[in-house]
C-alpha cells in the first residue's frame, strides 16, 4: 500500500486533499499533514494526489 507524503514547500493549503480524504489528511497551520497514512480504503490516495493542484502529495 502506498504511503502518502506531503511536500510542505509545494502545499498551498487549499484543502482539496482533506475534502477527498479526511481520514488521511488534515489541515494544520495552513498546510496539509498526513494523519492516517494507512487509512485510505479505496484508492491508495491516488485520488488525493491527482486532485492536488501543486503535486504536493507524493505516494511513497
Ligand atoms: Fe496541500 Fe495539495 Fe492538499 Fe491542497 S491538495 S492542501 S496543495 S497537499
Amino acid at each position: 500500500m502506498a504511503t502518502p507524503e506531503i511536500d510542505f514547500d509545494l502545499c498551498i493549503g487549499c484543502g482539496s486533499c482533506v475534502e477527498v480524504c479526511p481520514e488521511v489528511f488534515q489541515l494544520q497551520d495552513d498546510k496539509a499533514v498526513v494523519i492516517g497514512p494507512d487509512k485510505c480504503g479505496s484508492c491508495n490516495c491516488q485520488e488525493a494526489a491527482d486532485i492536488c493542484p501543486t503535486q504536493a502529495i507524493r505516494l511513497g
Side-chain angles (χ1 to χ4, degrees):
M1 173 169 279
T3 302
E5 290 179 4
I6 296 178
D7 185 327
F8 295 115
D9 290 333
L10 292 177
C11 177
I12 57 172
C14 71
S16 294
C17 57
V18 181
E19 280 181 39
V20 167
C21 203
E23 296 87 359
V24 176
F25 304 99
Q26 200 172 68
L27 282 182
Q28 283 178 19
D29 298 329
D30 294 330
K31 298 278 182 180
V33 294
V34 177
I35 57 165
D38 58 352
K39 290 288 192 290
C40 182
S42 54
C43 71
N44 277 348
C45 296
Q46 189 62 53
E47 194 178 342
D50 288 345
I51 208 172
C52 176
T54 61
Q55 284 83 50
I57 300 173
R58 203 181 58 218
L59 303 178

